[in-house]
Amino acid sequence: MKGIFDYFRSPPPPQTSARMAKERLQVIVARERGHRAGPDYLPALHRELLEVIRKYVRVNDESVQMTLENQGDCEILEVNITLSESERQL
Amino acid sequence: MARIVVITSGKGGVGKTTTSAAMATGLALEGHKTAVIDFDVGLRNLDLIMGCERRVVYDFVNVINGDASLRQALIKDKRTENLFILPASQTRDKDALTEEGVGQVLDELSQEFDYILCDSPAGIERGALMAAYFADEAVVVTNPEVSSVRDSDRMLGILASKTRKAEQGEGPLPSRLLLTRYAPERVDKGEMLSVEDVVEILSIEMLGVVPESQSVLNASNAGMPVILDKESDAGQAYSDAVARFLGEERPHRFLTAQKKGILGRLFKG
Protein backbone atom coordinates (compact mmCIF):
# COMPACT_ATOMS: atom_id res chain seq x y z
CA MET A 1 0.00 0.00 0.00
CA LYS A 2 1.34 3.37 -0.93
CA GLY A 3 0.75 6.04 1.73
CA ILE A 4 -0.10 9.53 0.71
CA PHE A 5 3.28 10.77 1.97
CA ASP A 6 5.12 8.51 -0.43
CA TYR A 7 4.02 10.79 -3.22
CA PHE A 8 6.06 13.62 -1.72
CA ARG A 9 9.23 11.58 -1.40
CA SER A 10 11.82 12.19 -4.06
CA PRO A 11 12.01 9.25 -6.44
CA PRO A 12 15.05 6.98 -6.13
CA PRO A 13 17.94 8.09 -8.33
CA PRO A 14 17.64 6.46 -11.74
CA GLN A 15 20.10 3.70 -12.60
CA THR A 16 22.15 5.54 -15.21
CA SER A 17 24.63 3.75 -17.44
CA ALA A 18 27.52 5.69 -15.86
CA ARG A 19 26.44 4.38 -12.45
CA MET A 20 26.43 0.81 -13.80
CA ALA A 21 29.88 1.35 -15.32
CA LYS A 22 31.24 2.55 -11.98
CA GLU A 23 29.78 -0.33 -10.00
CA ARG A 24 31.01 -2.95 -12.46
CA LEU A 25 34.47 -1.39 -12.54
CA GLN A 26 34.74 -1.26 -8.76
CA VAL A 27 33.99 -4.97 -8.54
CA ILE A 28 36.33 -6.10 -11.31
CA VAL A 29 39.19 -3.79 -10.31
CA ALA A 30 39.01 -4.98 -6.70
CA ARG A 31 39.05 -8.61 -7.85
CA GLU A 32 41.96 -8.12 -10.23
CA ARG A 33 43.97 -6.23 -7.61
CA GLY A 34 43.38 -9.14 -5.24
CA HIS A 35 44.78 -11.57 -7.81
CA ARG A 36 47.74 -9.28 -8.43
CA ALA A 37 48.56 -9.06 -4.75
CA GLY A 38 48.38 -12.84 -4.37
CA PRO A 39 51.30 -15.18 -4.99
CA ASP A 40 52.03 -16.23 -8.57
CA TYR A 41 51.16 -19.88 -7.95
CA LEU A 42 47.47 -19.26 -7.19
CA PRO A 43 46.15 -19.57 -10.77
CA ALA A 44 48.17 -22.75 -11.36
CA LEU A 45 47.05 -24.22 -8.03
CA HIS A 46 43.45 -23.40 -8.92
CA ARG A 47 43.80 -25.14 -12.28
CA GLU A 48 45.43 -28.24 -10.86
CA LEU A 49 42.92 -28.52 -8.03
CA LEU A 50 40.13 -28.44 -10.61
CA GLU A 51 41.82 -31.23 -12.57
CA VAL A 52 42.10 -33.43 -9.48
CA ILE A 53 38.50 -32.79 -8.41
CA ARG A 54 37.29 -33.57 -11.93
CA LYS A 55 38.70 -37.08 -11.63
CA TYR A 56 35.93 -37.78 -9.11
CA VAL A 57 33.11 -35.30 -9.62
CA ARG A 58 31.87 -33.14 -12.42
CA VAL A 59 32.38 -29.47 -11.51
CA ASN A 60 32.52 -26.26 -13.47
CA ASP A 61 35.28 -23.64 -13.25
CA GLU A 62 33.36 -21.41 -10.86
CA SER A 63 32.72 -24.14 -8.30
CA VAL A 64 36.22 -23.83 -6.86
CA GLN A 65 36.79 -20.51 -5.13
CA MET A 66 40.12 -19.65 -3.59
CA THR A 67 40.94 -16.68 -1.42
CA LEU A 68 44.14 -15.80 0.35
CA GLU A 69 43.81 -13.63 3.43
CA ASN A 70 46.32 -12.06 5.73
CA GLN A 71 45.46 -12.26 9.40
CA GLY A 72 48.11 -10.83 11.62
CA ASP A 73 51.32 -12.69 10.82
CA CYS A 74 49.72 -15.72 9.20
CA GLU A 75 48.20 -16.23 5.79
CA ILE A 76 45.02 -18.22 5.35
CA LEU A 77 44.35 -19.98 2.07
CA GLU A 78 40.67 -20.74 1.90
CA VAL A 79 39.43 -23.17 -0.74
CA ASN A 80 35.70 -23.52 -1.26
CA ILE A 81 34.42 -26.29 -3.48
CA THR A 82 30.71 -26.23 -4.22
CA LEU A 83 29.09 -29.47 -5.35
CA SER A 84 25.60 -29.10 -6.71
CA GLU A 85 23.01 -31.89 -6.53
CA SER A 86 23.36 -32.98 -10.15
CA GLU A 87 27.16 -32.90 -10.07
CA ARG A 88 27.63 -35.31 -7.18
CA GLN A 89 27.91 -38.47 -9.23
CA LEU A 90 30.13 -38.84 -12.20
CA MET B 1 70.44 14.02 -15.47
CA ALA B 2 67.18 13.90 -17.35
CA ARG B 3 63.85 12.99 -15.84
CA ILE B 4 62.35 10.04 -17.72
CA VAL B 5 58.56 10.01 -18.07
CA VAL B 6 56.49 7.22 -19.62
CA ILE B 7 53.18 8.07 -21.29
CA THR B 8 51.19 4.86 -21.08
CA SER B 9 47.66 3.43 -20.84
CA GLY B 10 47.26 -0.25 -21.58
CA LYS B 11 44.43 0.31 -24.02
CA GLY B 12 45.06 1.64 -27.51
CA GLY B 13 43.51 4.70 -29.08
CA VAL B 14 43.05 6.67 -25.87
CA GLY B 15 45.48 9.47 -26.75
CA LYS B 16 48.98 8.40 -25.69
CA THR B 17 50.71 9.76 -28.77
CA THR B 18 48.60 12.94 -28.81
CA THR B 19 49.55 13.41 -25.14
CA SER B 20 53.24 12.63 -25.71
CA ALA B 21 53.41 15.17 -28.53
CA ALA B 22 51.52 17.82 -26.55
CA MET B 23 53.43 17.37 -23.29
CA ALA B 24 56.84 17.21 -24.96
CA THR B 25 56.05 20.41 -26.84
CA GLY B 26 54.72 22.04 -23.66
CA LEU B 27 57.87 21.16 -21.70
CA ALA B 28 60.08 22.48 -24.51
CA LEU B 29 58.04 25.71 -24.66
CA GLU B 30 58.81 26.16 -20.96
CA GLY B 31 62.50 26.09 -21.82
CA HIS B 32 63.28 22.48 -20.90
CA LYS B 33 65.35 20.55 -23.39
CA THR B 34 63.08 17.64 -24.22
CA ALA B 35 63.33 14.42 -26.23
CA VAL B 36 60.27 12.34 -27.07
CA ILE B 37 60.77 8.69 -28.08
CA ASP B 38 58.31 6.53 -30.01
CA PHE B 39 58.45 3.01 -28.50
CA ASP B 40 55.81 1.60 -30.86
CA VAL B 41 58.16 -0.48 -33.00
CA GLY B 42 56.42 -1.52 -36.22
CA LEU B 43 53.59 1.01 -35.87
CA ARG B 44 55.37 4.36 -35.87
CA ASN B 45 53.01 7.32 -35.51
CA LEU B 46 54.57 9.96 -33.28
CA ASP B 47 56.39 11.37 -36.35
CA LEU B 48 53.04 11.90 -38.07
CA ILE B 49 51.44 13.61 -35.05
CA MET B 50 54.52 15.84 -34.68
CA GLY B 51 54.53 16.59 -38.43
CA CYS B 52 58.08 15.37 -39.08
CA GLU B 53 57.29 12.13 -40.95
CA ARG B 54 59.19 13.19 -44.06
CA ARG B 55 62.37 13.90 -42.14
CA VAL B 56 62.84 10.42 -40.65
CA VAL B 57 66.14 8.91 -41.76
CA TYR B 58 67.28 6.76 -38.86
CA ASP B 59 65.23 5.39 -35.97
CA PHE B 60 65.40 4.15 -32.37
CA VAL B 61 66.31 0.58 -33.38
CA ASN B 62 69.10 1.84 -35.68
CA VAL B 63 70.60 3.60 -32.67
CA ILE B 64 70.22 0.53 -30.42
CA ASN B 65 71.92 -1.64 -33.04
CA GLY B 66 74.71 0.87 -33.57
CA ASP B 67 73.76 1.53 -37.22
CA ALA B 68 73.38 5.24 -36.49
CA SER B 69 74.38 7.67 -33.77
CA LEU B 70 71.80 9.41 -31.59
CA ARG B 71 72.77 12.70 -33.21
CA GLN B 72 71.93 11.26 -36.64
CA ALA B 73 68.62 9.80 -35.56
CA LEU B 74 67.20 12.64 -33.44
CA ILE B 75 64.93 14.96 -35.41
CA LYS B 76 64.99 18.60 -34.32
CA ASP B 77 61.47 19.99 -34.22
CA LYS B 78 60.95 22.84 -36.65
CA ARG B 79 58.32 24.74 -34.67
CA THR B 80 59.58 24.49 -31.11
CA GLU B 81 63.05 25.17 -29.73
CA ASN B 82 64.57 22.58 -27.37
CA LEU B 83 62.46 19.75 -28.80
CA PHE B 84 63.73 16.54 -30.42
CA ILE B 85 61.96 13.43 -31.69
CA LEU B 86 63.35 9.89 -31.84
CA PRO B 87 61.08 7.93 -34.19
CA ALA B 88 60.26 4.23 -33.90
CA SER B 89 61.40 1.71 -36.45
CA GLN B 90 58.74 0.83 -39.00
CA THR B 91 60.24 -2.47 -40.12
CA ARG B 92 61.94 -4.26 -37.22
CA ASP B 93 60.12 -6.35 -34.68
CA LYS B 94 59.63 -5.61 -31.01
CA ASP B 95 62.44 -7.90 -29.87
CA ALA B 96 64.85 -5.24 -31.11
CA LEU B 97 64.08 -3.31 -27.92
CA THR B 98 66.48 -4.99 -25.51
CA GLU B 99 66.75 -3.82 -21.93
CA GLU B 100 70.46 -3.17 -22.40
CA GLY B 101 69.99 -1.26 -25.67
CA VAL B 102 67.14 0.91 -24.40
CA GLY B 103 69.06 1.60 -21.19
CA GLN B 104 72.13 2.75 -23.13
CA VAL B 105 70.14 5.10 -25.38
CA LEU B 106 68.34 6.61 -22.37
CA ASP B 107 71.67 7.03 -20.53
CA GLU B 108 73.15 8.88 -23.47
CA LEU B 109 70.08 11.11 -23.84
CA SER B 110 70.14 11.81 -20.10
CA GLN B 111 73.50 13.57 -20.44
CA GLU B 112 72.01 16.23 -22.67
CA PHE B 113 68.29 16.53 -21.98
CA ASP B 114 66.12 17.75 -19.10
CA TYR B 115 63.13 15.54 -19.94
CA ILE B 116 62.79 12.30 -21.88
CA LEU B 117 59.22 11.31 -22.72
CA CYS B 118 58.62 7.68 -23.68
CA ASP B 119 55.52 7.25 -25.86
CA SER B 120 54.42 3.69 -25.00
CA PRO B 121 52.68 1.35 -27.44
CA ALA B 122 49.32 -0.11 -26.41
CA GLY B 123 49.21 -3.45 -24.63
CA ILE B 124 51.46 -4.88 -21.95
CA GLU B 125 54.07 -6.57 -24.13
CA ARG B 126 57.74 -5.89 -24.61
CA GLY B 127 57.47 -2.39 -26.16
CA ALA B 128 55.20 -1.15 -23.39
CA LEU B 129 57.30 -2.77 -20.66
CA MET B 130 60.49 -1.26 -22.08
CA ALA B 131 58.91 2.21 -22.35
CA ALA B 132 58.03 2.03 -18.65
CA TYR B 133 61.04 0.16 -17.27
CA PHE B 134 63.52 3.03 -16.87
CA ALA B 135 60.94 5.72 -16.05
CA ASP B 136 61.11 8.04 -13.05
CA GLU B 137 57.38 8.67 -13.26
CA ALA B 138 54.35 7.85 -15.37
CA VAL B 139 51.43 9.64 -16.95
CA VAL B 140 48.55 7.18 -17.43
CA VAL B 141 46.19 8.27 -20.21
CA THR B 142 42.61 7.09 -19.70
CA ASN B 143 39.24 7.63 -21.36
CA PRO B 144 36.12 7.72 -19.16
CA GLU B 145 35.03 4.32 -20.44
CA VAL B 146 35.04 0.85 -18.80
CA SER B 147 37.70 -0.95 -20.83
CA SER B 148 40.12 1.96 -20.70
CA VAL B 149 39.75 2.36 -16.92
CA ARG B 150 40.23 -1.36 -16.33
CA ASP B 151 43.33 -1.47 -18.56
CA SER B 152 44.73 1.58 -16.77
CA ASP B 153 44.39 -0.21 -13.46
CA ARG B 154 46.21 -3.20 -14.91
CA MET B 155 48.95 -0.87 -16.17
CA LEU B 156 49.21 0.76 -12.72
CA GLY B 157 49.82 -2.72 -11.32
CA ILE B 158 52.67 -3.21 -13.80
CA LEU B 159 54.13 0.23 -13.00
CA ALA B 160 54.07 -0.72 -9.33
CA SER B 161 56.00 -3.96 -9.79
CA LYS B 162 57.76 -4.33 -13.15
CA THR B 163 59.81 -1.11 -13.41
CA ARG B 164 63.45 -0.64 -12.47
CA LYS B 165 62.45 1.59 -9.55
CA ALA B 166 60.10 -1.10 -8.24
CA GLU B 167 62.71 -3.82 -8.69
CA GLN B 168 65.23 -1.72 -6.78
CA GLY B 169 62.76 -1.53 -3.90
CA GLU B 170 61.89 2.12 -4.38
CA GLY B 171 58.19 1.28 -4.35
CA PRO B 172 55.55 1.86 -7.02
CA LEU B 173 56.40 4.27 -9.84
CA PRO B 174 54.90 7.72 -9.12
CA SER B 175 51.94 7.86 -11.51
CA ARG B 176 49.36 10.48 -12.39
CA LEU B 177 46.22 10.29 -14.48
CA LEU B 178 45.38 12.25 -17.59
CA LEU B 179 41.71 11.81 -18.44
CA THR B 180 41.10 12.50 -22.13
CA ARG B 181 38.03 12.72 -24.41
CA TYR B 182 35.99 13.99 -21.46
CA ALA B 183 32.45 15.14 -22.34
CA PRO B 184 30.91 17.01 -19.37
CA GLU B 185 27.45 17.22 -20.94
CA ARG B 186 27.37 13.42 -21.22
CA VAL B 187 28.56 13.11 -17.61
CA ASP B 188 25.66 15.39 -16.56
CA LYS B 189 23.22 13.08 -18.32
CA GLY B 190 24.65 10.04 -16.53
CA GLU B 191 26.02 8.61 -19.77
CA MET B 192 29.72 8.87 -18.93
CA LEU B 193 31.92 8.21 -15.90
CA SER B 194 32.81 11.45 -14.12
CA VAL B 195 36.30 12.62 -13.15
CA GLU B 196 35.44 11.79 -9.53
CA ASP B 197 34.30 8.27 -10.49
CA VAL B 198 37.55 7.49 -12.31
CA VAL B 199 39.74 8.97 -9.55
CA GLU B 200 37.81 6.94 -6.97
CA ILE B 201 38.09 3.67 -8.91
CA LEU B 202 41.80 4.02 -9.70
CA SER B 203 42.82 5.90 -6.52
CA ILE B 204 45.33 8.02 -8.39
CA GLU B 205 46.25 11.69 -8.50
CA MET B 206 44.80 13.68 -11.42
CA LEU B 207 47.25 15.51 -13.65
CA GLY B 208 44.67 16.88 -16.05
CA VAL B 209 41.37 16.50 -17.86
CA VAL B 210 41.30 17.06 -21.61
CA PRO B 211 37.85 17.61 -23.07
CA GLU B 212 36.62 15.79 -26.16
CA SER B 213 37.42 18.32 -28.86
CA GLN B 214 37.44 18.71 -32.62
CA SER B 215 40.75 20.55 -32.21
CA VAL B 216 42.57 17.26 -31.44
CA LEU B 217 41.62 15.79 -34.82
CA ASN B 218 42.36 19.10 -36.58
CA ALA B 219 45.82 19.15 -35.00
CA SER B 220 46.64 15.57 -35.94
CA ASN B 221 45.36 16.18 -39.49
CA ALA B 222 47.83 19.05 -39.73
CA GLY B 223 50.71 17.26 -37.95
CA MET B 224 50.85 19.88 -35.22
CA PRO B 225 50.80 19.11 -31.48
CA VAL B 226 47.40 20.31 -30.20
CA ILE B 227 49.02 22.27 -27.36
CA LEU B 228 50.14 24.80 -30.00
CA ASP B 229 46.46 25.55 -30.77
CA LYS B 230 46.22 28.04 -27.93
CA GLU B 231 42.64 29.01 -28.73
CA SER B 232 41.36 25.45 -28.33
CA ASP B 233 39.99 23.93 -25.11
CA ALA B 234 42.13 20.79 -25.56
CA GLY B 235 45.27 22.87 -26.17
CA GLN B 236 44.62 24.91 -23.03
CA ALA B 237 43.91 21.76 -21.01
CA TYR B 238 47.28 20.32 -22.07
CA SER B 239 49.03 23.60 -21.16
CA ASP B 240 47.46 23.36 -17.71
CA ALA B 241 48.58 19.73 -17.39
CA VAL B 242 52.17 20.65 -18.30
CA ALA B 243 52.14 23.48 -15.74
CA ARG B 244 50.89 21.07 -13.07
CA PHE B 245 53.49 18.55 -14.16
CA LEU B 246 56.14 21.20 -13.47
CA GLY B 247 54.74 21.77 -10.00
CA GLU B 248 52.44 24.72 -10.56
CA GLU B 249 48.99 24.64 -8.93
CA ARG B 250 46.23 25.25 -11.43
CA PRO B 251 42.51 24.68 -11.05
CA HIS B 252 41.01 22.08 -13.42
CA ARG B 253 38.98 23.61 -16.25
CA PHE B 254 36.53 22.20 -18.80
CA LEU B 255 34.88 19.96 -16.20
CA THR B 256 31.38 21.37 -16.57
CA ALA B 257 29.10 21.57 -19.58
CA GLN B 258 28.93 24.96 -21.27
CA LYS B 259 25.63 26.48 -20.19
CA LYS B 260 23.85 28.13 -23.04
CA GLY B 261 22.89 31.74 -22.34
CA ILE B 262 19.29 32.87 -22.72
CA LEU B 263 19.98 34.08 -26.27
CA GLY B 264 21.66 30.82 -27.14
CA ARG B 265 18.64 28.94 -25.85
CA LEU B 266 16.23 31.16 -27.76
CA PHE B 267 18.03 30.68 -31.03
CA LYS B 268 19.07 27.07 -30.28
CA GLY B 269 22.32 27.65 -32.15
Side-chain angles (χ1 to χ4, degrees):
Chain A
M1 266 305 263
K2 223 175 181 187
I4 188 158
F5 291 108
D6 288 333
Y7 289 100
F8 295 101
R9 266 199 212 138
S10 56
Q15 180 70 347
T16 63
S17 70
R19 181 97 241 134
M20 282 164 63
K22 185 181 181 185
E23 285 166 11
R24 291 175 58 222
L25 274 168
Q26 281 173 323
V27 171
I28 192 71
V29 162
R31 200 170 90 189
E32 287 173 350
R33 280 181 192 165
H35 281 280
R36 230 183 277 153
D40 292 346
Y41 62 74
L42 272 189
L45 177 59
H46 184 256
R47 203 170 45 243
E48 283 178 41
L49 267 177
L50 264 177
E51 280 167 21
V52 173
I53 294 162
R54 282 200 179 123
K55 283 185 184 171
Y56 304 96
V57 276
R58 192 177 294 134
V59 290
N60 59 24
D61 288 2
E62 286 80 49
S63 58
V64 176
Q65 299 285 344
M66 293 182 13
T67 53
L68 194 69
E69 269 181 57
N70 277 307
Q71 283 187 6
D73 50 1
C74 73
E75 275 185 317
I76 298 175
L77 175 65
E78 190 180 307
V79 181
N80 255 310
I81 305 165
T82 318
L83 302 179
S84 74
E85 204 60 41
S86 57
E87 287 162 348
R88 237 174 244 169
Q89 299 295 318
L90 197 64
Chain B
M1 267 308 266
R3 194 154 178 82
I4 303 174
V5 185
V6 60
I7 314 292
T8 188
S9 71
K11 190 172 182 297
V14 297
K16 282 182 298 294
T17 301
T18 297
T19 298
S20 300
M23 285 197 64
T25 305
L27 289 167
L29 285 173
E30 292 295 315
H32 302 287
K33 195 169 180 192
T34 304
V36 55
I37 308 177
D38 190 347
F39 272 77
D40 204 346
V41 173
L43 292 169
R44 158 163 97 205
N45 271 322
L46 179 66
D47 56 336
L48 210 51
I49 300 299
M50 298 288 297
C52 64
E53 70 277 9
R54 293 172 61 182
R55 295 164 61 213
V56 176
V57 182
Y58 294 109
D59 59 56
F60 191 17
V61 174
N62 290 142
V63 180
I64 289 176
N65 292 343
D67 304 332
S69 69
L70 252 181
R71 199 168 294 280
Q72 288 174 302
L74 280 172
I75 302 171
K76 189 178 187 323
D77 192 81
K78 282 205 164 152
R79 297 189 190 87
T80 313
E81 275 288 296
N82 304 316
L83 181 58
F84 292 81
I85 300 115
L86 184 55
S89 167
Q90 190 68 297
T91 49
R92 313 300 180 91
D93 68 40
K94 292 184 186 69
D95 296 334
L97 296 181
T98 60
E99 191 176 307
E100 193 192 359
V102 172
Q104 274 172 4
V105 173
L106 291 176
D107 272 348
E108 200 180 330
L109 284 171
S110 286
Q111 318 279 324
E112 220 182 306
F113 286 88
D114 301 320
Y115 285 97
I116 302 169
L117 265 58
C118 302
D119 180 18
S120 173
I124 49 172
E125 316 233 324
R126 180 160 205 94
L129 296 180
M130 277 300 110
Y133 187 72
F134 295 97
D136 297 306
E137 65 179 296
V139 173
V140 178
V141 184
T142 307
N143 291 166
E145 177 272 324
V146 285
S147 51
S148 174
V149 174
R150 181 203 208 166
D151 289 358
S152 292
D153 191 68
R154 181 102 164 80
M155 184 48 76
L156 285 166
I158 288 168
L159 294 172
S161 60
K162 299 244 157 75
T163 59
R164 182 171 61 170
K165 269 195 183 309
E167 285 178 7
Q168 288 172 347
E170 290 181 44
L173 197 71
S175 306
R176 283 182 281 181
L177 183 74
L178 193 82
L179 196 61
T180 57
R181 307 201 69 165
Y182 194 65
E185 60 286 351
R186 300 189 65 188
V187 174
D188 288 351
K189 283 191 212 154
E191 296 170 357
M192 182 181 271
L193 291 164
S194 69
V195 177
E196 295 78 17
D197 290 340
V198 179
V199 168
E200 190 185 330
I201 294 162
L202 295 177
S203 7
I204 181 175
E205 190 190 329
M206 180 68 71
L207 179 66
V209 180
V210 180
E212 169 83 71
S213 169
Q214 178 60 39
S215 60
V216 174
L217 188 57
N218 291 348
S220 75
N221 285 343
M224 178 190 85
V226 68
I227 198 167
L228 293 174
D229 184 355
K230 296 201 159 58
E231 303 296 307
S232 72
D233 46 2
Q236 291 172 19
Y238 273 117
S239 295
D240 286 355
V242 169
R244 277 184 217 109
F245 185 82
L246 292 170
E248 200 180 306
E249 289 220 7
R250 283 206 189 174
H252 289 278
R253 296 190 275 170
F254 317 111
L255 299 186
T256 49
Q258 293 289 317
K259 292 271 189 311
K260 275 193 180 157
I262 189 156
L263 282 176
R265 247 179 271 164
L266 277 175
F267 294 107
K268 275 241 162 136

